[in-house]
Amino acid sequence: MNKKSFVDCERHRIQKILDFRLPTSFKWLGVVLLVLAFVLFFVRKQFPEYAEMIRSIGRTIFIIGLLCISLARDKEEDEMTIALRAQSYAIAFIVGVVYAIVMPYIEFGVSNLVHNGGEAYKQLGDFQLLSFMFLIQIAFYQTLKRYR
């Protein structure tokens, strides 16, 4: 295998990963999963002995629902929507990084003001950061698509 064919093969493999989209029907599956997650968040109050397990399952279903919505194709997918989707992912990543850096300090300062000191510094959880980034990506994609 020569160098040129190896590079072409790798480029094709990377492009295949970048072009991955779920079918349009997965957008509705994502919405159903989000509704199911919200139902689970309310149901867990009825079963306090299983609250932590239900919470964990609900969080996972919520993230999977947002992922389905984020990766689902549009009915009319063209080069412009692909570029807008990539742009919204870039914006969500940058906003997510800034959020992950700044938010713990803001939360620490506000909680110390409200509770008169003694509050511990807390890091963001993976659920909070992932759900924030997915929501930002979906919101920016819809906004950019509307004003193209």
Side-chain angles (χ1 to χ4, degrees):
M1 178 182 266
N2 62 14
K3 183 179 176 183
K4 183 173 172 48
S5 65
F6 178 74
V7 170
D8 289 339
C9 180
E10 289 299 313
R11 181 176 293 131
H12 176 69
R13 186 179 298 166
I14 290 172
Q15 194 61 40
K16 193 174 178 182
I17 293 170
L18 291 175
D19 292 339
F20 176 75
R21 299 283 180 272
L22 294 172
T24 307
S25 60
F26 274 77
K27 192 172 285 191
W28 290 109
L29 175 66
V31 171
V32 169
L33 289 174
L34 289 179
V35 170
L36 177 65
F38 278 114
V39 168
L40 282 176
F41 291 144
F42 288 114
V43 166
R44 77 182 172 114
K45 297 293 183 187
Q46 305 300 321
F47 303 102
E49 63 273 1
Y50 300 112
E52 194 58 39
M53 184 180 70
I54 293 172
R55 179 180 180 212
S56 175
I57 292 169
R59 284 179 163 196
T60 303
I61 291 172
F62 188 79
I63 294 295
I64 291 171
L66 288 175
L67 181 65
C68 288
I69 293 171
S70 178
L71 289 178
R73 288 185 187 273
D74 287 338
K75 288 184 181 179
E76 297 175 11
E77 190 89 14
D78 58 0
E79 292 85 14
M80 178 64 108
T81 58
I82 292 170
L84 293 177
R85 188 183 305 270
Q87 192 175 16
S88 68
Y89 278 119
I91 291 169
F93 177 76
I94 292 168
V95 172
V97 168
V98 170
Y99 179 77
I101 292 171
V102 172
M103 193 59 194
Y105 295 110
I106 292 174
E107 187 176 323
F108 176 72
V110 170
S111 67
N112 279 330
L113 284 174
V114 171
H115 298 298
N116 281 333
E119 289 293 315
Y121 174 81
K122 294 183 276 186
Q123 289 286 345
L124 289 179
D126 55 349
F127 171 75
Q128 187 177 359
L129 186 59
L130 282 173
S131 60
F132 177 77
M133 288 176 72
F134 274 128
L135 290 170
I136 291 294
Q137 187 274 324
I138 292 167
F140 268 99
Y141 178 64
Q142 296 300 324
T143 303
L144 290 171
K145 198 168 66 169
R146 185 176 310 130
Y147 295 115
R148 62 178 162 155

